[in-house]
Amino acid sequence: MIRYRKEVDRIAPYVPGKLIDAVKKEYGITDVVKLASNENPLGMGSAAADAIKAHMDHVHLYPDGSCAVLREKLAWNLGVASDWIIVGNGSDEILKMIAEVYLTEADAVIIAESTFSQYRFAADLMGAETRFVPLIDYRHDLEGMARQIDSKTKIVFICNPNNPTGTIVSHAELEQFLNQVPEHVLVVVDEAYYEYVTSQLYPQAVKLMEYYPNMMITRTFSKVYGLAGLRIGYGIANPEIIKALERVKEPFNVNQFAQAAACASLDDQEHLRKSIEVNEQGKEYLYQQFELLKLKAIPTETNFILVDLQRDGKQVSQQLLTKGVIVRPTDSFALPNCIRVTIGTMEQNRRFIQALGEVLYADRY
Ligand SMILES: Cc1ncc(COP(=O)(O)O)c(C=O)c1O
């Protein structure tokens, strides 16, 4: 047998949300609702769909490896130069590139205990140590994270808003944290759900980057833009960091459909507006229903809600599957009594609530 690197041994394979077709087959249900991966229930906008169709004839050509047009567009929107931007095959790929560039087994990263899994994956891949800092009241404990920083620390990942809790750190909190971070530590702020945030306290992270050269931001087209299946996200950082990341980037990492659809999506303000509106309506409905069901929902700044069921969330998720509703159990996030549900269309939200009521109060139905 060929021996693989010892680091690989430590990596637990990613467990994605269950696939709709798999659930249909397993449970013999024709109408399955997936609210497990924080996708946009409206799908992509029509401008993105048109852009994809327009690229059908170019499939035999390699895509632009530098994503020049998209980077220009993003740079214009963000008020930075285009050499501050790198585009990836999903923001997952950017996280991996960051690890490949900066981490060795002599380094440590600091993350929240209950947060997105790919920061730990990136650290594990490079053999780096991961230090976990428990959330306080479902929010990042930035003071606790700052206390963990030492000479070994290379990266701090802050998921803002946080997956799976939907909570944010504020501009003031982030700034105060950055003031405590030494220059040798990179602070990565993951803003995958940026567009959904409504809080006035949310950081203007791009502005902060002007003062903190050891900070970078990642964002994605997978969530509000509805392009998860195409895989496209981006990183924003000063050119020194971007140049380093480009060294490990695959030559043609982002396919041309993804680039074209992302460009078109940025111009499609109507789809963005509609997606956010549907999310806000769904959020209010779900808050009300959770209250009626006497469940504690954590107020969210995203397109998903963490709900404390005060019982085994994995078991409830399993029972929901039998009713054709896929949600995310959060035991892997160290929150075994919760589930995370994506806010869907009103029809999907109603279906979920109906199923949840049946599961939780089986004796009354
Ligand atoms: C916080 C966070 N960051 C990054 C990602 C990955 O996004 P992408 O599809 O761009 O790789 C996700 C996806 O669920 C996420 O929740």
Side-chain angles (χ1 to χ4, degrees):
M1 180 150 133
I2 308 165
R3 286 232 309 267
Y4 48 76
R5 293 193 301 130
K6 66 181 187 314
E7 290 80 12
V8 176
D9 230 3
R10 286 171 33 182
I11 299 173
Y14 181 74
V15 184
K18 283 206 177 261
L19 296 172
I20 292 176
D21 282 344
V23 174
K24 279 185 181 169
K25 207 166 155 196
E26 193 172 339
Y27 296 94
I29 302 168
T30 48
D31 182 17
V32 170
V33 173
K34 183 181 179 214
L35 299 172
S37 302
N38 309 334
E39 296 142 339
N40 184 338
L42 303 183
M44 67 180 159
S46 57
D50 291 345
I52 290 170
K53 282 184 208 133
H55 273 73
M56 285 294 182
D57 292 341
H58 307 154
V59 173
H60 59 297
L61 300 173
Y62 281 102
D64 170 12
S66 72
C67 298
V69 178
L70 178 59
R71 282 175 45 230
E72 281 295 337
K73 240 180 167 41
L74 285 167
W76 172 259
N77 289 352
L78 296 167
V80 298
S82 61
D83 60 355
W84 281 64
I85 292 169
I86 186 164
V87 185
N89 191 244
S91 54
D92 279 347
E93 193 198 19
I94 309 272
L95 298 172
K96 192 173 166 201
M97 287 191 237
I98 294 168
E100 285 167 346
V101 165
Y102 292 106
L103 297 178
T104 71
E105 54 189 19
D107 299 315
V109 312
I110 298 172
I111 66 174
E113 185 184 32
S114 303
T115 195
F116 185 51
S117 60
Q118 293 307 291
Y119 317 133
R120 184 193 179 159
F121 162 77
D124 281 352
L125 182 67
M126 304 312 295
E129 176 194 339
T130 304
R131 294 182 189 157
F132 300 94
V133 178
L135 300 177
I136 295 183
D137 202 14
Y138 301 97
R139 299 178 65 233
H140 274 71
D141 172 14
L142 290 185
E143 281 177 26
M145 292 174 94
R147 276 197 301 275
Q148 286 286 327
I149 296 175
D150 59 17
S151 60
K152 233 187 131 182
T153 310
K154 203 60 173 293
I155 304 178
V156 180
F157 289 99
I158 300 173
C159 190
N160 200 31
N162 189 39
N163 176 3
T165 55
T167 52
I168 59 163
V169 305
S170 70
H171 190 92
E173 288 165 336
L174 182 59
E175 196 167 17
Q176 196 183 1
F177 175 76
L178 288 163
N179 283 332
Q180 297 173 68
V181 176
E183 280 171 14
H184 73 268
V185 176
L186 176 67
V187 177
V188 179
V189 183
D190 180 343
E191 296 191 334
Y193 301 92
Y194 167 83
E195 296 83 0
Y196 286 112
V197 176
T198 59
S199 169
Q200 298 294 316
L201 300 176
Y202 190 59
Q204 294 194 312
V206 176
K207 288 233 159 64
L208 284 174
M209 271 190 333
E210 283 172 33
Y211 306 100
Y212 301 94
N214 58 333
M215 172 192 169
M216 82 169 283
I217 301 168
T218 58
R219 290 189 188 161
T220 184
F221 287 94
S222 297
K223 305 300 174 185
V224 83
Y225 293 109
L227 301 179
L230 286 179
R231 314 301 303 124
I232 182 161
Y234 57 101
I236 316 162
N238 69 65
E240 204 182 307
I241 295 175
I242 297 295
K243 275 198 203 98
L245 297 177
E246 277 167 354
R247 286 173 185 248
V248 300
K249 184 180 89 58
E250 281 180 32
F252 305 105
N253 60 330
V254 183
N255 71 75
Q256 52 178 279
F257 294 118
Q259 293 186 39
C263 282
S265 298
L266 288 176
D267 292 335
D268 192 350
Q269 288 298 312
E270 182 50 25
H271 187 64
L272 183 71
R273 194 196 57 72
K274 187 92 210 299
S275 301
I276 293 168
E277 186 182 295
V278 166
N279 193 62
E280 286 301 304
Q281 281 169 359
K283 193 195 289 185
E284 285 315 312
Y285 168 77
L286 288 172
Y287 282 162
Q288 282 167 14
Q289 296 301 312
F290 290 137
E291 207 172 313
L292 290 174
L293 290 167
K294 305 214 176 338
L295 299 173
K296 178 178 170 185
I298 313 309
T300 186
E301 293 289 339
T302 63
N303 67 339
F304 58 82
I305 304 180
L306 184 77
V307 199
D308 186 351
L309 304 171
Q310 306 211 326
R311 66 160 96 171
D312 189 314
K314 207 168 172 177
Q315 216 170 48
V316 171
S317 306
Q318 197 61 39
Q319 287 167 308
L320 285 171
L321 283 181
T322 66
K323 298 180 181 296
V325 177
I326 316 173
V327 299
R328 186 77 161 185
T330 51
D331 51 320
S332 64
F333 295 91
L335 294 163
N337 288 339
C338 299
I339 55 169
R340 189 195 70 195
V341 60
T342 304
I343 300 168
T345 60
M346 280 312 280
E347 196 186 334
Q348 292 172 328
N349 297 331
R350 285 199 191 95
R351 173 91 188 274
F352 158 68
I353 289 294
Q354 171 74 24
L356 185 66
E358 286 171 16
V359 168
L360 295 180
Y361 302 106
D363 46 339
R364 293 194 212 158
Y365 279 83

